[in-house]
Amino acid sequence: MRRTLTMAVVAAALLASAGPLSVAAAGSIAAPVAVGRWSAREAQSFWTAERMASAAPLPPVPPELADPAPPELPEPPEPAEPAEPAEPAEPAEEIPIATPTPVMTGLPAPSATPAATPTATPTPTASPTRTPGAVPTPTRAPSAPTPTPAPLPAPARPAVPRLPALTPGVGQNFDGIPVAGRMYLVKGGGAYFCTASVVSSPSRNLVLSAAHCLLGSDTQQVAFVPQYTRAKPQPYGMFPVLRDAGGRSRIWIDPRYRSQGVDRAAALDVAFAQVGPDARGFPVEAVVGGNRLVTGAGYAHARATLIGYPASAARPRVCVNRTTKFTSADARIPGSFLRINCTGYPGGTSGGPFLTRYDARTGTGDVVGVIGGWKTGGDKADTSYSSYFGADIRKLYEKAVAGAKARR
């Protein structure tokens, strides 16, 4: 089946069992959050543990429902980008050298809260000489200096769980890693989720997922929860996807994906989103770290780590295997994609990262793909696909970096 459960029977069964959770009937929050307001505290009030546990994998997005409108972000329209020439076929076993993104790779501590400037203390002056009929000018008492607030301590470095012993191609449920989590959203009155992960950026506030997960002007109440499990729903807090003044989520998707649809533009099934700080004021990358975006690395990787949140599972899933190049023979879904065989990745895993050079000490790696693309990630739960991270994805990332930095 498709990664987002494309068969109508399966989708109907899902809606009947787990159901899209009605926002109005889902608990204590019946009214939507005010336009333009969507902080970590408001996201935590909306996305209760019960609502997160009841959220369903995002249902299929038919091509005819793709947004024909321009990007949701209120930015001046850009000239259409010329189509890039097809990439030459690569030798089957050749693994080209990756060109890393010039982004931050460490876990920088956030800047301390700036100290308040003490109020200036006037210098006492001698009483003026009295003159007949003159009213003496009173002398102001010195003002006490404003106390300097204590800076918040830097977030503790997250504990990275050890991965289980893995057999290539065999997925296993595990306790997750801090840099990956669930992306929650409301669409059409239902509560849904996909998978997302943090990607390093200068502003330390970008997450990466699949475009089909975040497509649509009705996508609202979007929030990222690192290392979600049902037992520990918010081990590192919640990070709301920011909104502009018009209430639209700050999400970057290639305009061609919106106009051409999820199949015709399957090679562009990638999205970046800007998240706000947690309830303590820290950016997501300072709290959990971030993967390095790598583009132009080719399709064949000897070892890739695949992470996703499958359907109604209480924990995420991990698998390692090699990736190969898959070129579509279906004219309705053109393009070449990364392909990996890993068991047990159904709906909900869309947006999950393909990681190479995974570092068990930091729990991060080089992200070279996300589950999506060919049939929004695959028509079988045991084989997953990703759009190729080439020049188009690099441009989209740079646009997101510039937009996030400009609106900090």
Side-chain angles (χ1 to χ4, degrees):
M1 63 181 176
R2 271 185 180 234
R3 187 66 51 201
T4 46
L5 307 175
T6 55
M7 294 189 301
V9 174
V10 175
L14 173 64
L15 298 181
S17 57
L21 188 62
S22 170
V23 175
S28 60
I29 307 282
V33 177
V35 171
R37 291 192 59 195
W38 184 237
S39 69
R41 295 188 185 280
E42 288 157 341
Q44 287 174 325
S45 295
F46 185 89
W47 289 109
T48 62
E50 294 77 13
R51 182 171 278 159
M52 287 192 286
S54 300
L58 192 70
V61 183
E64 63 270 19
L65 295 185
D67 288 343
E72 295 174 9
L73 298 179
E75 298 174 347
E78 297 181 356
E81 298 176 351
E84 296 184 357
E87 296 176 287
E90 301 174 356
E93 299 301 322
E94 181 181 355
I95 303 178
I97 298 175
T99 303
T101 306
V103 295
M104 301 172 64
T105 58
L107 295 176
S111 301
T113 303
T117 304
T119 303
T121 303
T123 303
T125 57
S127 298
T129 303
R130 291 175 179 260
T131 57
V135 178
T137 303
T139 303
R140 294 178 60 91
S143 301
T146 303
T148 302
L152 290 174
R157 191 178 188 89
V160 180
R162 293 176 61 89
L163 297 185
L166 297 171
T167 300
V170 179
Q172 293 189 43
N173 290 348
F174 77 128
D175 289 332
I177 58 175
V179 79
R182 277 188 176 188
M183 181 76 92
Y184 288 97
L185 57 110
V186 170
K187 183 185 287 287
Y192 301 101
F193 72 89
C194 278
T195 303
S197 58
V198 184
V199 60
S200 285
S201 68
S203 298
R204 301 183 293 173
N205 60 2
L206 290 182
V207 294
L208 170 68
S209 190
H212 74 266
C213 290
L214 299 173
L215 189 67
S217 58
D218 63 337
T219 301
Q220 297 294 332
Q221 273 79 24
V222 191
F224 173 66
V225 182
Q227 203 177 343
Y228 169 88
T229 63
R230 195 167 299 165
K232 295 181 179 179
Q234 291 187 50
Y236 295 102
M238 186 174 293
F239 298 85
V241 172
L242 296 180
R243 298 173 175 177
D244 62 21
R248 293 168 292 191
S249 298
R250 298 197 55 73
I251 296 166
W252 286 266
I253 296 173
D254 192 296
R256 291 168 291 179
Y257 192 81
R258 299 179 186 277
S259 62
Q260 297 177 21
V262 299
D263 283 340
R264 187 68 185 169
L268 301 170
D269 192 2
V270 179
F272 295 94
Q274 181 184 4
V275 296
D278 64 9
R280 299 179 64 214
F282 291 110
V284 65
E285 193 178 337
V287 177
V288 300
N291 296 314
R292 297 164 297 276
L293 180 76
V294 173
T295 58
Y299 298 85
H301 299 277
R303 181 183 176 89
T305 301
L306 189 66
I307 296 173
Y309 279 80
S312 59
R315 299 188 298 164
R317 196 164 182 83
V318 64
C319 175
V320 297
N321 209 349
R322 68 190 185 101
T323 65
T324 57
K325 183 177 183 178
F326 168 77
T327 300
S328 170
D330 187 340
R332 297 170 299 176
I333 315 175
S336 293
F337 307 85
L338 277 72
R339 174 174 55 190
I340 188 170
N341 291 322
C342 277
T343 59
Y345 284 77
T349 58
S350 288
F354 285 58
L355 299 177
T356 60
R357 297 172 60 192
Y358 177 77
D359 185 336
R361 181 182 60 86
T362 64
T364 63
D366 294 344
V367 59
V368 297
V370 295
I371 296 177
W374 167 258
K375 296 187 176 179
T376 61
D379 51 359
K380 296 185 175 78
D382 296 343
T383 302
S384 299
Y385 300 82
S386 169
S387 302
Y388 178 66
F389 279 20
D392 287 326
I393 306 307
R394 167 65 56 182
K395 291 175 184 176
L396 186 65
Y397 170 77
E398 291 171 351
K399 185 176 180 179
V401 167
K405 184 177 180 181
R407 293 167 176 81
R408 287 183 65 183

